[in-house]
Amino acid sequence: MTEYSINGRAYAAEPAPGQCLRTLLRDLEVFGVKKGCDSGDCGACTVHIDGKPFHSCLVPAFRAEGREVTTIEGLSPCGQKHALQQAFHDAQGFQCGFCTAGMIMTAVTLTEAQKSDLPHALKGNLCRCTGYRSIKDALNGVCNIEADLAGKALGASLPNPFTDTILTGTARYTMDIAVADLLHLKVLRSPHAHARIVGIDRQAALAVPGVVAVYTWEDVPGRRFSSALHEDHLVDPDDILLLDNVARFSGQRVAAVVAETEAAAEAGCRALHVDYEILPAVFDPVLAMRPDAPILHDKDYVAGSNNIFCTLQGEIGDVAKGFAQADVVHEQTYSTSRVQHVHLETHGSIAWKGEDGRWHVRTSSQGPFAVRQKLAYVMGLSPRDLHVFTERVGGGFGGKQEMVSEDLVLFATMKLGRPVKWEWTREEEFIGATTRHQMTTRVKIGARKDGTLTALDVEVFSNTGAYGGHGSETLAAAMASPIAAYRCANKKGIGHAVYTNMTPGGGFRGYGASQTTFAIECAIDELARRLGIDPFAMRRLNVVQPGDNIESIWKEASDASFGSHGIGECLDIVERELAKGNGVAKPEGADWAEGRGVALAMLECGPPTEHRSGAEMHLKADGSYFLACGSTEMGNGITTAHKQIAASILGTRADDVGIINADTDRTPYDTGTFASTGVVVAGKAVHLTAEAMAQDILDFASRHTDVPMDQCRLDNDGVICGNRRISLVDLHAEGAKVDHRFTVGRRAYLSPRTIAFNVQGVRLAVHRVTGEIRVLHSVHAADIGLPINPMQCRGQLDGAVSMGYGWALVENMVHDDEGRMVNPQLRNCRIPTLADTPHTDIFFAETTDSIGPLGAKSQGECGINPVAPAVSNALADATGVRFAHLPFTPDRLFTQLAGR
């Protein structure tokens, strides 16, 4: 055995041939070292070797012998936080926190000179959540947090309750657990976009030392399901099997190998011999709709025809009449690209049978209750026999609104009787997980000379890929709020979600509305340009107002309502800030053109289908509270917000409210944390529960003191009844004498749905020859009601806007003619680094919502939607050319600009 010195402790270990330091450290249960890529691209695994930072996934483990290895756990050996950890605490320089350990380990070594050029100094560390502002704040000594004062929780920028564990590496994400007798699962994925599996020879795989089992479509249950997680499972087609004898996209799982080690499982996958019958494939949704196109799914389990999974259409008014009344008509086709979520924690699950005889699944999921229901159905179990839970989730963005890792590990552990783990690689995320739906949108829009819209006609083709989960819901969202955002008496639309042999589409921040917001906001700008009307004035004239019907193309009644209406203020803010400027000039030279653009987005807070959540609370003997809520914390700050909601109602400190989330055994039911529901549904459940808790305490105190309840009030850690004050500790003790438990629970449902707005402004420079784009000024205004935690809300918008710039300018999934992704690595399919992410000035409209809890409404999702169209509008302003197809990479711009 070889001795290693890690964080000042001696460890004896014998690394396997070729093993990297990252995996060795985690084998030794040093879990602060994370896996984001295993290719040196993300920096989540950064450690110090003799005081110098290294990506431990690139360092052979044997090279650490005889050297001092320091991880985040050993950064401050005396138990006190390192000064930089304290700076990240004060600035709250994280959201999900999965990248934070590596970020700190890199940053702590920077010189003052390096700190003056952070885009270069931190080029090897990626963050998908924050937009990097709060990370820069931490390194610049900015404090963003406020004191946690009793009765002052609402509207305070309070820190995440798990801050210290995140910053010291002791927070436990899905894979940060040692499990005895653990087996590892890996899958073989199809290299073909469409193929029938004639046979799989598993003998060579079973002969690999350490391989325990190989499973194919012949071994697994034959119940079809959808991987998408929704309250109403009927909105998604049951078109997936655990393992199938037909591969419908390149990257689909074909067989599962279970082994004693991850390396043995991978070797077993490589040893499998599969006999494929290659089938014709189709990748374009328009071509897939043709009668002669190859059919992906049998009609005995999927409705529709010619690969069309779903068609949505409707008309209000008379569109033909509206166009006849128009003085100007604009018509153009716009397209948006598919992108991957790139949550730095990859998908993964661990399953085992507990001493209670039940099956337990520890997973990285946005909807553990929905996962439990699906697993029970597929495996033929009672939900009571299943326990599904998360601990800390390293990002989601809709990518974990899927059941894609839990099913096979549960199946394998039920077969083998041993715990089974499956942790995805980064390449698997790109080729095997879901992406944003690629959509092509034709917009025809007409207006009178004064700018008043007369008609709007939209046609959408959504490429749902090989499977239809989220296909109908994202299409419905695409044809809802982006169209409903504008007043127009005549609207018409038709949309198709179409099966193709591409990676399946799924839920992604913006959820379908992003794609058509891009098209419609570009079209509004084109109309304004032709009419000679200022783009801000064009939007003010036509944006939906209180008293208007909130409708897109359907006449049916809707529960969407204005709990507040701040779009006018948002437009004013962005126009004012762009006009004021920020002092950043365009680069010198005649080849640089400058332009500005604006776009707005409207969000119905929550999906049109059912969504529900529950909360429970009890008063503890020590006078503090404990809150249980089923929503998932994944960097969205929902845990902090829920504690603040409860504390503000109970008149106490947020720190006096303990909390647990997302556990089907220990928390009430929750549909899932997605579709902007964390505040407006789960938060509402917490609000109702806290009110019931206050009522229960006051009622008992009134009876105990013989003081009328209208003379009793909560006072931080006590109750004042008349002229007497009794502490909550004493009150709890009195309750225990008569078996009063001080326990309450309430539920909340998603109706009505309030509406939020966002406006993005961009001033940029574009090089007419090379197509290079530089964002000079970025402004965002959001109507999110009363911010429960302004710092967190700003952070969510920072992340959303950064992701919007990534979609518009940087991220580009490239596929070959056979549907294979050719760049499934972070160095080749980049997400924004600090250098790629412009600073955005973020403002909130001063509104208080009448529907959401304590005046708040959703903020984390919609911020992404207006970014790409604002960039396109700024490019058109600068060049006179409409760039209608994402992403705006230099090669694409060069092609269109070259002739000018």
Side-chain angles (χ1 to χ4, degrees):
M1 299 292 282
T2 303
E3 280 208 354
Y4 290 86
S5 178
I6 303 168
N7 298 327
R9 286 183 54 192
Y11 289 81
E14 194 63 49
Q19 185 173 18
C20 71
L21 179 59
R22 182 194 72 79
T23 57
L24 178 70
L25 290 169
R26 291 184 62 81
D27 286 347
L28 297 173
E29 299 182 24
V30 183
F31 292 128
V33 181
K34 306 303 184 192
K35 182 192 88 170
C37 66
D38 269 352
S39 57
D41 297 328
C42 75
C45 68
T46 302
V47 301
H48 294 173
I49 302 176
D50 292 339
K52 295 183 179 180
F54 288 87
H55 291 181
S56 60
C57 66
L58 298 181
V59 178
F62 76 88
R63 291 194 180 276
E65 181 184 353
R67 305 171 73 181
E68 183 60 41
V69 177
T70 306
T71 72
I72 190 69
E73 291 95 330
L75 186 60
S76 183
C78 298
Q80 298 294 319
K81 289 194 289 291
H82 185 280
L84 191 61
Q85 289 171 314
Q86 185 63 47
F88 268 75
H89 173 283
D90 294 343
Q92 290 291 283
F94 61 90
Q95 284 180 23
C96 82
F98 196 80
C99 73
T100 304
M103 193 75 69
I104 290 175
M105 296 304 288
T106 297
V108 76
T109 66
L110 299 182
T111 65
E112 290 303 314
Q114 288 173 313
K115 288 181 183 179
S116 68
D117 187 11
L118 287 178
H120 182 266
L122 292 179
K123 65 182 180 181
N125 290 81
L126 298 177
C127 176
R128 190 60 156 168
C129 295
T130 64
Y132 299 99
R133 179 208 296 256
S134 60
I135 293 169
K136 289 187 289 185
D137 284 349
L139 292 172
N140 290 322
V142 176
C143 182
N144 292 322
I145 60 174
E146 299 177 79
D148 183 11
L149 303 176
K152 304 290 186 180
L154 181 61
S157 293
L158 302 186
N160 185 296
F162 305 111
T163 294
D164 287 348
T165 62
I166 290 168
L167 299 180
T168 58
T170 56
R172 290 293 174 252
Y173 294 81
T174 307
M175 295 297 156
D176 298 342
I177 183 173
V179 179
D181 205 25
L182 183 66
L183 293 171
H184 298 262
L185 185 145
K186 286 291 180 180
V187 300
L188 177 70
R189 295 184 180 274
S190 171
H192 306 293
H194 202 191
R196 180 171 288 104
I197 300 168
V198 178
I200 300 179
D201 185 347
R202 59 183 95 188
Q203 293 308 308
L206 289 168
V208 171
V211 170
V212 174
V214 176
Y215 300 114
T216 73
W217 84 93
E218 298 171 303
D219 307 302
V220 298
R223 289 184 174 179
R224 296 189 181 274
F225 63 97
S226 172
S227 65
L229 304 181
H230 286 113
E231 178 72 22
D232 181 2
H233 70 92
L234 298 177
V235 301
D236 302 301
D238 289 335
D239 55 9
I240 294 178
L241 292 169
L242 266 70
L243 296 168
D244 205 334
N245 68 335
V246 177
R248 296 178 177 86
F249 70 97
S250 177
Q252 180 171 318
R253 57 196 197 188
V254 168
V257 176
V258 184
E260 299 288 350
T261 66
E262 198 167 352
E266 289 178 348
C269 287
R270 291 193 295 269
L272 287 169
H273 176 75
V274 184
D275 185 10
Y276 292 101
E277 175 193 348
I278 308 301
L279 301 174
V282 60
F283 307 110
D284 182 276
V286 177
L287 297 179
M289 294 168 63
R290 291 171 45 169
D292 59 345
I295 300 298
L296 271 71
H297 292 277
D298 294 335
K299 296 310 172 192
D300 58 346
Y301 64 88
V302 171
S305 60
N306 298 336
N307 293 313
I308 301 173
F309 158 57
C310 173
T311 295
L312 298 175
Q313 58 187 320
E315 182 175 9
I316 59 171
D318 186 334
V319 168
K321 181 180 177 182
F323 282 119
Q325 296 170 344
D327 295 308
V328 176
V329 175
H330 165 74
E331 184 171 7
Q332 187 161 348
T333 297
Y334 302 85
S335 67
T336 58
S337 55
R338 60 178 62 241
V339 287
Q340 227 284 321
H341 309 80
V342 193
H343 32 72
L344 285 190
E345 180 200 38
T346 61
H347 283 94
S349 301
I350 304 171
W352 68 92
K353 189 172 187 178
E355 294 181 0
D356 57 2
R358 299 163 66 231
W359 304 105
H360 300 260
V361 181
R362 177 187 178 97
T363 188
S364 183
S365 174
Q366 293 176 233
F369 284 88
V371 168
R372 182 180 67 168
Q373 293 298 116
K374 285 184 181 288
L375 289 176
Y377 166 74
V378 173
M379 304 299 176
L381 298 170
S382 166
R384 293 189 299 273
D385 295 329
L386 274 171
H387 171 215
V388 180
F389 67 103
T390 71
E391 191 160 348
R392 185 154 189 90
V393 176
F397 318 114
K400 293 174 180 175
Q401 195 188 340
E402 305 278 347
M403 186 178 79
V404 293
S405 64
E406 299 88 349
D407 49 355
L408 282 179
V409 292
L410 178 59
F411 170 77
T413 200
M414 290 175 66
K415 282 287 187 181
L416 300 171
R418 290 174 60 182
V420 178
K421 166 186 171 180
W422 183 17
E423 183 177 16
W424 286 35
T425 66
R426 180 56 57 190
E427 181 172 344
E428 284 184 295
E429 293 290 337
F430 278 117
I431 68 171
T434 58
T435 71
R436 182 187 292 283
H437 287 77
Q438 186 279 322
M439 290 189 190
T440 299
T441 304
R442 180 192 60 79
V443 178
K444 184 178 180 183
I445 187 168
R448 295 189 179 94
K449 291 178 182 179
D450 65 356
T452 304
L453 297 182
T454 62
L456 175 59
D457 188 3
V458 177
E459 184 177 22
V460 181
F461 296 94
S462 175
N463 190 336
T464 197
Y467 297 96
H470 299 280
S472 61
E473 292 292 273
T474 51
L475 182 62
M479 304 183 73
S481 56
I483 298 174
Y486 287 102
R487 314 165 80 178
C488 184
N490 309 295
K491 298 177 182 179
K492 181 181 179 181
I494 183 168
H496 304 286
V498 186
Y499 285 118
T500 69
N501 294 109
M502 293 296 293
T503 307
F508 195 114
R509 191 180 213 158
Y511 203 73
S514 309
Q515 293 91 314
T516 47
T517 294
F518 172 71
I520 291 171
E521 287 301 300
C522 289
I524 289 287
D525 244 50
E526 287 297 316
L527 265 187
R529 199 177 311 278
R530 291 180 61 181
L531 290 166
I533 298 175
D534 178 81
F536 284 94
M538 186 73 176
R539 287 172 171 82
R540 286 192 187 94
L541 176 65
N542 290 292
V543 73
V544 66
Q545 299 291 334
D548 291 343
N549 292 323
I550 305 170
E551 56 190 2
S552 56
I553 60 171
W554 298 290
K555 299 176 182 177
E556 289 82 359
S558 169
D559 68 342
S561 305
F562 288 122
S564 56
H565 187 270
I567 182 60
E569 186 179 349
C570 290
L571 287 166
D572 292 345
I573 290 169
V574 172
E575 185 176 30
R576 178 195 72 208
E577 293 301 312
L578 286 179
K580 184 194 307 181
N582 62 350
V584 179
K586 76 176 181 69
E588 294 182 359
D591 286 330
W592 285 96
E594 182 177 338
R596 74 170 193 170
V598 63
L600 65 79
M602 186 178 98
L603 173 73
E604 297 163 344
C605 298
T609 49
E610 184 71 24
H611 202 104
R612 56 194 174 101
S613 184
E616 294 175 357
M617 178 176 274
H618 68 265
L619 177 66
K620 297 168 64 177
D622 64 0
S624 67
Y625 300 92
F626 188 78
L627 172 65
C629 188
S631 55
T632 298
E633 169 62 56
M634 53 187 165
N636 49 355
I638 203 65
T639 299
T640 319
H642 288 172
K643 285 164 64 77
Q644 288 181 250
I645 290 171
S648 66
I649 291 169
L650 294 166
T652 188
R653 299 186 310 141
D655 198 45
D656 290 328
V657 181
I659 193 167
I660 185 172
N661 297 85
D663 188 315
T664 62
D665 272 10
R666 303 170 64 193
T667 63
Y669 179 87
D670 184 276
T671 295
T673 311
F674 47 80
S676 301
T677 56
V679 165
V680 296
V681 185
K684 188 175 181 179
V686 171
H687 184 178
L688 296 172
T689 302
E691 287 183 331
M693 184 82 261
Q695 182 74 15
D696 185 60
I697 291 171
L698 294 175
D699 177 69
F700 183 83
S702 171
R703 288 186 281 110
H704 175 68
T705 60
D706 289 326
V707 175
M709 195 156 72
D710 61 3
Q711 298 178 30
C712 298
R713 60 183 176 86
L714 287 165
D715 180 50
N716 188 13
D717 58 353
V719 181
I720 295 176
C721 294
N723 58 4
R724 176 184 174 188
R725 188 181 192 279
I726 182 170
S727 72
L728 292 179
V729 172
D730 291 340
L731 194 69
H732 186 281
E734 292 300 321
K737 295 176 182 178
V738 293
D739 198 30
H740 188 89
R741 294 178 292 170
F742 294 104
T743 298
V744 297
R746 293 293 185 271
R747 300 173 184 173
Y749 301 86
L750 182 63
S751 189
R753 293 174 298 151
T754 191
I755 291 174
F757 289 98
N758 296 73
V759 176
Q760 176 71 34
V762 175
R763 181 172 58 90
L764 56 74
V766 56
H767 196 281
R768 292 188 178 96
V769 178
T770 65
E772 179 186 353
I773 295 172
R774 296 187 188 178
V775 176
L776 307 175
H777 195 182
S778 177
V779 182
H780 191 95
D783 168 28
I784 62 169
L786 185 66
I788 292 171
N789 185 313
M791 173 188 62
Q792 281 192 170
C793 294
R794 186 172 292 108
Q796 286 289 298
L797 289 169
D798 267 323
V801 172
S802 173
M803 195 174 284
Y805 279 119
W807 189 37
L809 302 174
V810 177
E811 299 173 51
N812 193 18
M813 299 178 73
V814 180
H815 295 80
D816 64 19
D817 292 340
E818 296 182 354
R820 298 187 188 96
M821 187 178 176
V822 300
N823 60 332
Q825 310 87 20
L826 282 176
R827 66 185 57 189
N828 296 319
C829 186
R830 299 192 307 113
I831 63 170
T833 64
L834 194 154
D836 299 309
T837 306
H839 172 84
T840 297
D841 298 322
I842 291 175
F843 301 87
F844 301 120
E846 295 184 4
T847 60
T848 300
D849 199 72
S850 62
I851 297 174
L854 300 179
K857 52 187 176 183
S858 306
Q859 80 276 349
E861 181 179 9
C862 192
I864 191 175
N865 289 352
V867 178
V871 172
S872 180
N873 292 337
L875 286 171
D877 185 48
T879 66
V881 178
R882 171 57 61 184
F883 297 94
H885 310 286
L886 295 179
F888 305 133
T889 51
D891 58 318
R892 291 185 173 202
L893 269 64
F894 176 82
T895 301
Q896 286 187 252
L897 292 173
R900 301 175 69 89

